[in-house]
């Protein structure tokens, strides 16, 4: 297989309510919206957010809602298990979640990568299981 060079990472998240997605990802997690994108052909109304730069380059989160929920592609039905995000202080992050009625499940525990982790319940994160590392 060829050795591919990745310039940036995009994680696309779909939901029927883009405002609800923005409330969580921008309002609670502090990501920055950098642009809008709308495409009737792709049935999408999208906000592009940036987390910043990582070892692979720019890291973006795309928040997507369908223009018409009955049409395809159904951008609000993602095939995604979870997204892991590094936080500077896991205990403070959990405390913030609890104070803001964001459900954290399973407590803080050792994750597969050898770091402490916890999970934000999908009902609090617009349908996505979110791992805090």
């Amino acid at each position: 297989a060829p050795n591919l060079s990745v310039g940036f990472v995009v994680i696309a998240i779909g939901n029927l309510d883009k405002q609800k997605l923005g409330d969580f990802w921008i309002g609670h997690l502090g990501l920055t919206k950098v642009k809008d994108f709308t495409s009737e052909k792709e049935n999408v109304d999208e906000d592009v957010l940036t987390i910043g730069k990582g070892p692979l380059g720019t890291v973006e989160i795309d928040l997507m809602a369908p223009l018409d929920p009955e049409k395809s592609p159904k951008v609000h039905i993602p095939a995604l298990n979870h997204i892991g995000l590094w936080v500077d202080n896991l205990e403070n992050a959990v405390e913030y979640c609890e104070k803001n009625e964001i459900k954290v499940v399973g407590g803080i525990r050792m994750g597969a990568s050898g770091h402490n982790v916890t999970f934000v319940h999908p009902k609090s994160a617009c349908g996505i299981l979110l791992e805090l590392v």
Side-chain angles (χ1 to χ4, degrees):
N3 185 7
L4 300 177
S5 176
V6 178
F8 64 96
V9 176
V10 175
I11 301 166
I13 301 168
N15 191 286
L16 286 172
D17 186 350
K18 192 175 71 165
Q19 178 64 47
K20 188 174 179 181
L21 285 171
D23 288 347
F24 182 79
W25 290 94
I26 298 168
H28 290 296
L29 296 182
L31 276 64
T32 302
K33 180 178 171 180
V34 293
K35 65 182 172 182
D36 298 314
F37 176 77
T38 303
S39 170
E40 288 190 34
K41 180 180 178 186
E42 296 176 24
N43 190 34
V44 69
D45 175 17
E46 186 171 332
D47 288 344
V48 177
L49 314 180
T50 184
I51 293 176
K53 300 241 181 229
L56 300 176
T58 301
V59 180
E60 293 180 352
I61 301 281
D62 292 354
L63 305 181
M64 305 182 308
L67 295 170
D68 181 347
E70 300 305 315
K71 287 186 176 179
S72 290
K74 295 184 182 294
V75 299
H76 60 293
I77 304 175
L80 180 63
N81 181 274
H82 73 274
I83 298 171
L85 298 177
W86 184 271
V87 296
D88 290 333
N89 186 314
L90 187 58
E91 292 79 10
N92 285 353
V94 170
E95 183 179 314
Y96 174 87
C97 289
E98 292 171 349
K99 285 181 181 177
N100 287 278
E101 300 181 359
I102 298 170
K103 185 176 182 180
V104 177
V105 294
I108 296 174
R109 59 198 178 279
M110 185 64 65
S113 63
H115 299 285
N116 283 337
V117 302
T118 195
F119 286 86
V120 174
H121 193 282
K123 288 183 180 178
S124 292
C126 304
I128 301 297
L129 180 62
L130 179 64
E131 179 184 36
L132 301 178
V133 183

